[in-house]
Amino acid sequence: MPTPIIIDSDPGHDDAIAILLAIASPEVELLGVTTVGGNTSLENTTTNALKILELANRPDIPVAAGAGHPLVRDLEVADHVHGRTGLDGPKLPEPEQRPHHLHAIDFMAATLEEHAAPVTLIPVGPLTNIALLLRRYPNVVEQIERVVLMGGAVGLGNRTPSAEFNIWADPEAAAVVFGSGLDITMVGLDVTHLALLGPERNEELRGGGRAGQVVAELIEFFVGFHRDTYGLEQAPIHDAVAVGEVIWPGLVETEHLAVDIETSSPMTVGRTVVDRWKVTDTVPNAHVALNMDGPAFIDRLVTRIVSLA
Ligand code: RIB
Ligand code: CA
């Protein structure tokens, strides 16, 4: 039986590739995509999610729009990474489908309630929707199998020296999620920066269907920020690693560790403070990804994307 999942996202180049990976993978059943403001505005993330699902010939998968801004702070988008539309690079037609009539958290609650088995949530953007879901529907935790989120880092950040973007964008929401007691797997920069993909695979990708062509164009744009910032000719496909861990459990090597979220210091706000060496007696609250075979994952990812009709 495929694992039922909901992806909560802010497409976003790597979000888009993560959604395509899920669609291309029989190990999971994508029940819906929810959107949040993050890489770009909620309007853009929602439109981009609809575009990606139609690109993959899956207009049947619902897209429900969620929070347009963080719980407390103002939204600061990442257009320097993903462009004005949040999905700059490929030219995709305007979507024919409309978003689901329910707000993302009501959609998630209804889907969790109705589904016969517990559902795995895969948040790959700021955690605003997940925090709101837990606050609005506290009993929903019974229907959540686990949360496999892209966010945080044991080591350096990427939005600031201390903080990774998804956690930095809404640290208060992250504190709610990491304090929820749910079975959390934290897929942070320590592993996603091992999952690097660049134009060297574009010929193979272009040999696939339209989806492969579009992923090649997404990569060409996405590499730009990473070339300027890190001197790389590849880009980390952050969000796809979180989906990959659900498709192939054990993809990332984890340790059960205590993770706290810094929500106040101006210099380190948004940092995931991971007790890597268990020097405190804080109770572990997340399975923190520490290592993975990045090239092997990228091979699997490209194969799945190329397999999309
Ligand atoms: O820090 C990487 C994360 O921030 C990814 O989810 C990317 O899409 C951006 O949202
Ligand atoms: Ca994202």
Side-chain angles (χ1 to χ4, degrees):
M1 281 292 282
T3 301
I5 64 172
I6 294 173
I7 295 176
D8 186 65
S9 61
D10 59 337
H13 291 66
D14 54 324
D15 306 68
I17 296 170
I19 292 166
L20 291 171
L21 173 61
I23 291 169
S25 300
E27 299 86 348
V28 296
E29 180 189 4
L30 182 54
L31 301 179
V33 174
T34 51
T35 56
V36 64
N39 284 322
T40 185
S41 68
L42 176 67
E43 182 185 4
N44 283 349
T45 60
T46 305
T47 297
N48 292 340
L50 290 165
K51 286 181 176 180
I52 289 300
L53 290 173
E54 292 181 20
L55 167 72
N57 299 315
R58 290 302 307 273
D60 58 298
I61 297 176
V63 173
H69 52 79
L71 296 183
V72 177
R73 301 167 191 269
D74 294 330
L75 176 64
E76 288 191 46
V77 297
D79 48 9
H80 59 296
V81 181
H82 298 275
R84 184 183 53 77
T85 69
L87 210 59
D88 282 17
K91 295 284 171 278
L92 294 171
E94 286 307 305
E96 293 177 13
Q97 299 302 311
R98 302 280 305 140
H100 195 275
H101 65 279
L102 288 179
H103 184 283
I105 63 170
D106 300 319
F107 170 81
M108 281 192 277
T111 303
L112 290 166
E113 180 68 31
E114 288 156 15
H115 202 73
V119 175
T120 294
L121 300 184
I122 309 180
V124 293
L127 291 166
T128 317
N129 286 341
I130 311 302
L132 289 170
L133 171 71
L134 297 175
R135 283 283 185 268
R136 173 82 177 77
Y137 297 99
N139 298 331
V140 79
V141 294
E142 305 305 321
Q143 286 107 21
I144 298 172
E145 176 70 20
R146 67 174 178 147
V147 177
V148 182
L149 63 89
M150 193 280 139
V154 176
L156 297 178
N158 61 355
R159 180 59 184 76
T160 75
S162 301
E164 178 278 326
F165 177 79
N166 287 340
I167 309 298
W168 173 88
D170 196 343
E172 287 77 14
V176 168
V177 175
F178 277 87
S180 67
L182 285 166
D183 177 352
I184 293 170
T185 297
M186 178 181 122
V187 177
L189 299 178
D190 316 278
V191 293
T192 65
H193 273 227
L194 301 174
L196 299 173
L197 178 58
E200 73 281 356
R201 306 296 291 266
N202 275 2
E203 186 177 342
E204 192 178 345
L205 284 165
R206 293 183 197 278
R210 176 73 180 125
Q213 168 77 27
V214 167
V215 168
E217 293 168 14
L218 287 171
I219 292 298
E220 276 167 1
F221 182 90
F222 197 36
V223 167
F225 164 77
H226 297 87
R227 178 184 301 117
D228 299 342
T229 307
Y230 303 101
L232 292 173
E233 285 304 323
Q234 295 177 305
I237 315 302
H238 305 283
D239 298 340
V241 180
V243 170
E245 166 55 26
V246 179
I247 296 167
W248 303 292
L251 176 74
V252 295
E253 298 163 28
T254 65
E255 271 202 49
H256 202 205
L257 299 170
V259 180
D260 276 314
I261 309 297
E262 173 59 67
T263 56
S264 56
S265 154
M267 194 179 299
T268 57
V269 64
R271 178 159 188 71
T272 45
V273 181
V274 181
D275 187 0
R276 174 73 183 82
W277 305 114
K278 303 183 180 179
V279 295
T280 74
D281 55 4
T282 311
V283 175
N285 57 338
H287 301 281
V288 177
L290 299 172
N291 198 5
M292 73 177 295
D293 182 339
F297 167 69
I298 291 296
D299 285 345
R300 287 176 164 184
L301 171 64
V302 171
T303 301
R304 288 288 166 98
I305 296 297
V306 169
S307 76
L308 280 168

